[in-house]
């Protein structure tokens, strides 16, 4: 069985590990399951014109004003001061978000996206369980090197992003050459969390489970762990995430 | 059930993540299963007077000469040029190593030990399957905060070090307060690798399995994945690893 013709796939479990990987010819999948990349998928699925990921709250307010856009974001799991909306997929139904621009800043996900962009990623897309199949189909079709990049929590590895990376690995591994222990560990984690990812997070008392369920966000947690609720492919072009047609 | 009285336990899966953890009051367990910390345990178990971990080959040669000690180490899995011995536990039987000083440098493990020391670790010990029970018994007895620090491979997370961290977590978790996803993932990995850790590494085609079995070191691999073959407690004092009585 030849592996030479298959592109490489790696998984980075923390932004602090991103620079170990050469991404100049890779598609980088930014993963922030709770909740940035789930919310990006939901907003675009529900007809948002675009999502502009920004690094900090002041940029968010400034760009939001200049573009007459919705400003949203969180710090430490709560709506950041000065912004209008938070980081929950449920805040962005079609009736509200259709044809609008969302400017978004989050603790981990938007930061990692800009890191990957500054590190010269060939292409950036965002992934979450909400758009699992869209991501997998795209990666198989493109047949290019892939880095699955987990946003983690302030650089500390987390279960949910690793689990999503594992779900992708499990679904597409026969199309890639994977010499990467992190990818294998992620797949194992995902398989052991099946069939009920929410229950797994609860039993494990995952750090983000405790953080979000403490804010009464169990509904968000369940939703963000459900596959294919917003099956679009958000792609980063000229500073904006748009839906790939 | 109160967790307040239990010390915290964290796991760092890569040297690149070490600085996320405050280790000033922690016992740091340096983990480099393949093969530095397995070899350190073996040498001390077989009566070595001390093991001096050093950062680079030239220090190793210089200190070895000054102390009339054995110089050993590897770079990229092979005996480093200019050194006498390698990084295999089998090179250090009692007949050879008893009462001698070993000066050792390795790609990942000795580097991480010095990082932890420079970062102000309260105490440093080295762990591997070879001394699993000694490590667990000591950590329980000391009742202090713990960081399990994996050496990884050039900062990339690896299966075997994570698996050993998981074995420790599994054995001592009721004595600690563990709000750390990496620790939970490590434990899950260890449990799924049971009962045959070697077979698991083989089936997963773990990166280090491929690296070492390529050098004909399958015997080393099996040995380094076997619990309690050299059940001593190597503790770092004044630049030397000695056996704690």
């Amino acid at each position: 069985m030849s592996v030479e013709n298959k592109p490489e796939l790696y998984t980075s479990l923390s932004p602090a590990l991103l620079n170990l990987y050469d991404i100049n010819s890779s598609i980088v999948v930014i993963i922030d399951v709770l909740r940035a990349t789930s919310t990006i998928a939901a907003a675009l699925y529900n007809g948002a014109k675009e999502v502009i990921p920004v690094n900090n709250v002041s940029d968010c307010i400034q760009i939001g004003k200049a573009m007459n856009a919705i400003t949203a974001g969180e710090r430490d799991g709560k709506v950041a001061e000065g912004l209008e909306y938070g980081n929950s997929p449920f805040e962005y139904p079609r009736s509200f978000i259709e044809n609008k621009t969302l400017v978004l800043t989050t603790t981990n996900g938007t930061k990692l996206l800009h890191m990957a962009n500054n590190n010269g990623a060939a292409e950036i897309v965002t992934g979450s369980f909400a758009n699992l199949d869209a991501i997998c189909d795209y990666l198989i079709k493109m047949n290019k090197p892939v880095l699955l990049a987990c946003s983690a929590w302030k650089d500390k590895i987390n279960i949910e992003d690793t689990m999503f990376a594992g779900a992708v690995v499990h679904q597409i591994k026969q199309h890639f050459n994977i010499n990467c222990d992190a990818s294998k560990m992620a797949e194992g984690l995902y398989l052991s969390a099946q069939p009920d990812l929410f229950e797994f997070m609860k039993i494990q008392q995952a750090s983000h489970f405790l953080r979000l369920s403490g804010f009464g966000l169990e509904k968000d947690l369940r939703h963000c762990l459900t596959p294919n609720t917003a099956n679009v492919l958000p792609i980063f072009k000229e500073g904006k995430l748009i839906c790939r047609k």
Side-chain angles (χ1 to χ4, degrees), chain A residues 7-129:
Chain A
E8 306 265 340
L9 181 149
Y10 291 95
T11 301
S12 163
L13 296 183
S14 161
L17 303 174
L18 185 73
N19 61 7
L20 301 176
Y21 302 91
D22 176 5
I23 55 176
N24 294 322
S25 56
S26 298
I27 302 174
V28 177
V29 182
I30 304 295
I31 300 167
D32 187 0
V33 167
L34 297 172
R35 295 168 288 164
T37 56
S38 301
T39 298
I40 289 164
L44 289 174
Y45 179 79
N46 287 329
K49 192 179 150 207
E50 61 205 4
V51 178
I52 303 179
V54 295
N55 266 331
N56 57 60
V57 174
S58 63
D59 282 4
C60 193
I61 294 170
Q62 199 181 326
I63 294 168
K65 200 174 276 177
M67 297 187 70
N68 195 25
I70 297 161
T71 61
E74 54 79 32
R75 285 296 176 274
D76 296 331
K78 294 173 215 169
V79 178
E81 214 181 309
L83 303 183
E84 301 167 293
Y85 295 90
N87 189 25
S88 167
F90 291 113
E91 292 181 85
Y92 305 99
R94 183 168 292 272
S95 56
F96 171 60
I97 198 66
E98 195 169 22
N99 297 322
K100 292 197 184 122
T101 295
L102 178 65
V103 190
L104 180 71
T105 181
T106 68
T107 311
N108 305 292
T110 54
K111 190 190 91 181
L112 178 61
L113 189 151
H114 287 288
M115 275 178 71
N117 193 42
N118 294 336
N119 284 9
E123 191 173 312
I124 295 172
V125 298
T126 69
S128 64
F129 286 102

Side-chain angles (χ1 to χ4, degrees), chain A residues 145-166:
Chain A
V146 167
L147 179 71
L148 304 176
C150 298
S151 297
W153 182 266
K154 297 179 181 177
D155 286 345
K156 285 182 181 163
I157 289 167
N158 71 29
I159 288 181
E160 66 276 13
D161 292 343
T162 307
M163 205 156 67
F164 176 72

